[in-house]
Amino acid sequence: MRFSKMLIPTLKETPADAEAVSHILMLRAGYVRQLTAGLYIYLPLGLRVIEKISKILREEMNAIGAQEITMPVLHPSEVWQQTGRWYEIGEEMFRLKDRGSRDMCLGMTHEEIIAWLAAREIRSYRELPQIWYQIQIKLRDEARPKSGVIRTREFLMKDSYSLDADEKGLERSYQLHAEAYHKIFSRCGLKFYMVESDPGMMGGATAHEFMAPSPAGEDEFTMCDGCGYAANIELALSIPKEVEAKNWILEEVYTPEKRTVQEVSDFLQLDPEYFIKSILLISDKDPVLALVRGDQELHEKKLNRIIGKHRQAHKEEVKEILGVEAGFIGPMGHRLKIIADACLKEGVYVSGANKPHYHAKGIRPGKEFTAEWNDIHVVKEGDSCPKCNAPLRVERAIEVGNIFMLGTKYSIPMRAFYLDKNGQERPIIMGSYGIGPARIAAAAIEQNNDRDGIIWPKSIAPFDVELLPLNIRDSKTVEIAEKIYKGLTEEGIEVLMDDRDERAGVKFKDADLIGIPTQIIIGEKNLKEGLIEIKDRKTKEAVKVGFREVVEKILQSQIQAETGRAYLKS
RNA sequence: CGGGGAUUGGCUCAGAGGUAGAGCACUCGGUUCGGGACCGAGAAGUCACCGGUUCGAAUCCGGUAUCCCCGACCA
């Protein structure tokens, strides 16, 4: 392709409302434009990247026997009502009415539609297993679209769904996907981890996410270098560092106006881990007192699984229920249900004395109070691995893919049944698996850039090579450029030729910004000696070669880049 | 949904009661040509919207909308 004929609107300055590196670079390098919050236009370069990624997705999905189909974006409400999600999902679902005032919605995901299809088309165990997938638009009215293309209201998704006769089959399909996903993300040049995740609203018991480490990510996960334990912070378990038990005797200490752990800790000159933080929560049924150690944060989601929906009590409620003002609550002497983090089982602590301006020192859990013990703290860097006790790391990441074992959550309400060998009717066992191509692109940029711009992994770059004839008024330059362009193109190499009548500096800057991995520079000086420069975008290293050897050199490096794949050029 | 910030030419921004500015980009002419050149000339904005205060509002006061950030939420 010729640069002069392509829409590549690069920007010299950083757009005011972009913050994430991938967002800034996608805008500056002319890959995308924002229509409004969470809605993006993909320009020619952007589309090429998405298509490169889609191609890899198709190859790897097809390789595990998945079949591509395509389903509507517009759905009738009935199928969603049948599984109950029409009522469970709130404002995140775009809802509308058709002209006959029939309730419709825009698809956020397609479990319902797959189950609907399966209910009609799958009759016998002989037709199982199946894996169906599509690469198609999803719509979600996100509360807060952010970070450019990372969280949008409309986005492309590769979603696949497995249909199996039994749990064993589901495990096999799940495993196939996990392996395909590893290949996909590796081929896309991402650094990533597969971590345990919360199945959340998808239902089902087992789920994993594929996390590409990046400061622009919205998720945090923890990772053990010792045994490989890796989990989303939403459910990660850990053993907090041990605290030496003091031999305090129970006493009340005067702590005027000191309410937070930090304040009391400073006042008494004791580290926060010697404190018990008491938090009053109001659940649907009863108030509950949650206890975590002073150096920990209460994990809302973990607690959610134990006591269900809840919220923090207001100040007045604390006083009313516990008889003390917030800041001086302690775990002793209450009638209500107490849930404490497991690490509090041992040790001697300080906590509120249930008396204004007093704290109690020398509290021994099990003696001064009893509680239900559970892991309800948020994992911190440096905590120990629950499996092997090695130190845990915590990293921020972009969730680029996820896999869920669903079971029969959708097949039963949708009546997706089959007949087994004995002629008995059984629900199909489902799994669902997603990948966001735009997030792959964003993560690739987040992980591969420098001050000059994007550095694409070869596999998903919009072009293989950018050809830079520096001075297109020089006929020799143009002649050679055209030859190389033709030669490479005939070999199946995708070339972007910067044939604009621009100064060399402008072309260099744009080439670095756009981030095509290899640059071929044709300048008058080198040309006089019959030489052309081949420059690597990442290392900035350049080699000079005779212009007749250029095509061959490029071909060689392309083949090297395909390592591990049976790439044959006929 | 809670909190914070922003909104002035295509882009990045300045201007703080007296009627609109710069740099870049764009158009034309000239000079230049291996890391976002230079000189000259031009075109381009009902200062987000609605209302109020004022002789007079981009500027002060209400309100609304949109965008961004933090948090809650997140198939």
Side-chain angles (χ1 to χ4, degrees):
Chain A
M1 295 287 292
R2 285 161 202 272
F3 202 126
S4 65
K5 304 219 163 54
M6 247 183 125
L7 177 63
I8 308 176
T10 58
L11 266 23
K12 253 194 234 183
E13 279 170 295
T14 300
D17 48 14
E19 195 134 314
V21 177
S22 57
H23 189 202
I24 291 172
L25 289 175
M26 279 186 181
L27 290 169
R28 283 199 55 214
Y31 283 78
V32 299
R33 285 296 181 259
Q34 188 187 83
L35 210 209
T36 185
L39 297 175
Y40 283 81
I41 296 166
Y42 282 79
L43 301 177
L45 287 180
L47 218 211
R48 288 182 79 98
V49 171
I50 295 299
E51 280 177 352
K52 286 277 172 76
I53 295 168
S54 300
K55 184 165 175 266
I56 293 173
L57 290 171
R58 288 197 169 91
E59 286 171 7
E60 297 301 339
M61 291 313 295
N62 294 344
I64 61 168
Q67 305 162 73
E68 186 167 6
I69 61 173
T70 176
M71 292 174 270
V73 249
L74 186 59
H75 301 175
S77 61
E78 288 83 356
V79 284
W80 288 82
Q81 285 163 356
Q82 223 167 315
T83 63
R85 279 159 120 192
W86 178 261
Y87 311 103
E88 285 165 29
I89 298 172
E91 291 180 305
E92 207 184 338
M93 183 187 270
F94 280 109
R95 297 166 204 252
L96 65 156
K97 288 184 193 295
D98 70 6
R99 65 204 307 172
S101 75
R102 171 153 90 129
D103 281 320
M104 310 286 283
C105 66
L106 302 180
M108 345 178 34
T109 176
H110 284 74
E111 284 77 16
E112 276 77 1
I113 312 300
I114 287 285
W116 183 95
L117 219 210
R120 277 150 193 82
E121 308 308 331
I122 304 295
R123 298 278 142 72
S124 153
Y125 71 93
R126 291 172 201 278
E127 294 160 317
L128 295 173
Q130 294 280 341
I131 298 174
W132 298 337
Y133 79 100
Q134 62 175 350
I135 299 178
Q136 192 243 32
I137 295 293
K138 299 282 177 280
L139 291 123
R140 297 177 193 176
D141 197 357
E142 291 287 351
R144 180 149 104 85
K146 57 184 281 203
S147 307
V149 121
I150 292 173
R151 186 162 213 89
T152 54
R153 294 193 290 176
E154 174 181 313
F155 58 97
L156 200 61
M157 179 163 161
K158 186 290 300 172
D159 46 325
S160 46
Y161 305 86
S162 62
L163 308 174
D164 280 284
D166 51 31
E167 292 291 335
K168 251 207 174 104
L170 171 59
E171 277 162 32
R172 201 176 316 115
S173 297
Y174 194 80
Q175 190 54 34
L176 281 174
H177 273 88
E179 284 163 19
Y181 277 31
H182 274 92
K183 287 184 188 158
I184 288 165
F185 298 123
S186 302
R187 284 184 66 189
C188 289
L190 293 188
K191 184 183 172 217
F192 68 95
Y193 297 95
M194 174 169 147
V195 314
E196 290 174 21
S197 72
D198 183 357
M201 158 160 214
M202 293 296 300
T206 303
H208 287 85
E209 288 165 337
F210 288 79
M211 295 294 205
S214 157
E218 305 177 280
D219 289 274
E220 281 188 317
F221 69 97
T222 188
M223 169 79 211
C224 172
D225 291 323
C227 67
Y229 172 71
N232 192 309
I233 212 90
E234 287 173 4
L235 50 55
L237 303 176
S238 77
I239 305 164
K241 72 168 176 183
E242 276 185 43
V243 175
E244 183 203 344
K246 302 275 188 185
N247 52 2
W248 296 324
I249 345 164
L250 190 62
E251 60 171 330
E252 281 183 0
V253 222
Y254 183 49
T255 51
E257 301 298 335
K258 309 296 179 213
R259 290 180 167 79
T260 64
V261 168
Q262 195 56 54
E263 285 166 2
V264 188
S265 142
D266 289 345
F267 183 74
L268 298 178
Q269 307 248 311
L270 277 173
D271 288 337
E273 52 262 35
Y274 288 105
F275 290 79
I276 295 174
K277 223 188 262 184
S278 315
I279 302 149
L280 183 66
L281 302 156
I282 310 292
S283 77
D284 284 348
K285 289 175 229 136
D286 300 300
V288 174
L289 194 64
L291 310 179
V292 290
R293 214 166 66 186
D295 61 330
Q296 298 176 330
E297 293 298 320
L298 173 65
H299 197 306
E300 299 282 340
K301 280 205 171 161
K302 286 180 180 172
L303 199 60
N304 219 333
R305 279 177 220 121
I306 303 167
I307 64 168
K309 265 209 153 131
H310 63 275
R311 61 171 172 83
Q312 283 217 8
H314 305 305
K315 279 188 182 145
E316 311 79 64
E317 288 171 324
V318 173
K319 190 133 198 200
E320 193 181 307
I321 296 166
L322 299 176
V324 218
E325 68 177 285
F328 305 102
I329 329 170
M332 309 80 70
H334 301 300
R335 285 237 156 131
L336 74 183
K337 182 169 183 173
I338 299 180
I339 298 179
D341 189 73
C343 80
L344 289 174
K345 235 177 180 168
E346 307 294 329
V348 182
Y349 299 93
V350 178
S351 191
N354 292 320
K355 183 170 157 188
H357 308 292
Y358 279 91
H359 277 75
K361 188 173 164 186
I363 301 172
R364 286 172 172 76
K367 188 169 166 223
E368 263 73 49
F369 69 94
T370 51
E372 200 178 291
W373 309 99
N374 268 298
D375 180 326
I376 55 168
H377 65 271
V378 179
V379 174
K380 277 199 311 185
E381 180 102 29
D383 283 1
S384 299
C385 173
K387 293 197 172 157
C388 76
N389 228 35
L392 291 171
R393 279 189 290 133
V394 173
E395 274 197 79
R396 191 159 269 280
I398 298 170
E399 180 190 346
V400 286
N402 51 31
I403 54 182
F404 296 93
M405 287 193 187
L406 300 175
T408 57
K409 174 166 179 183
Y410 301 94
S411 48
I412 291 178
M414 295 305 295
R415 303 199 50 78
F417 299 123
Y418 71 96
L419 290 184
D420 71 9
K421 275 182 189 162
N422 306 316
Q424 209 177 37
E425 193 173 68
R426 294 186 183 282
I428 293 172
I429 311 294
M430 288 177 60
S432 112
Y433 317 86
I435 287 182
R439 284 189 175 181
I440 292 181
I445 294 174
E446 293 284 345
Q447 293 181 351
N448 304 283
N449 68 79
D450 61 17
R451 120 172 60 74
D452 294 315
I454 303 170
I455 306 171
W456 286 111
K458 286 196 156 92
S459 54
I460 60 173
F463 288 93
D464 299 316
V465 165
E466 177 161 350
L467 191 52
L468 300 165
L470 295 185
N471 180 6
I472 60 147
R473 293 165 186 218
D474 177 58
S475 59
K476 184 73 178 168
T477 300
V478 173
E479 184 197 325
I480 299 293
E482 292 290 347
K483 271 191 186 148
I484 294 173
Y485 180 73
K486 189 158 174 262
L488 288 171
T489 305
E490 279 170 0
E491 291 292 344
I493 306 281
E494 294 175 335
V495 185
L496 175 65
M497 177 160 67
D498 193 346
D499 60 336
R500 294 175 301 169
D501 184 8
E502 287 287 356
R503 300 165 57 86
V506 173
K507 295 192 182 187
F508 285 133
K509 287 288 182 193
D510 275 347
D512 287 349
L513 223 206
I514 288 166
I516 294 167
T518 304
Q519 301 172 359
I520 299 177
I521 299 159
I522 305 172
E524 287 174 85
K525 283 172 205 155
N526 284 326
L527 213 50
K528 275 180 192 141
E529 301 164 41
L531 295 174
I532 302 285
E533 218 173 293
I534 299 177
K535 189 170 172 184
D536 185 85
R537 169 63 185 87
K538 185 177 185 146
T539 64
K540 305 246 167 159
E541 279 164 16
V543 290
K544 289 180 187 176
V545 300
F547 69 78
R548 286 175 214 288
E549 302 151 37
V550 170
V551 174
E552 203 182 317
K553 268 264 160 26
I554 295 289
L555 274 174
Q556 279 170 10
S557 65
Q558 288 297 119
I559 291 166
Q560 273 167 17
E562 300 270 337
T563 42
R565 311 202 60 234
Y567 174 81
L568 295 173
K569 204 176 125 292
S570 53

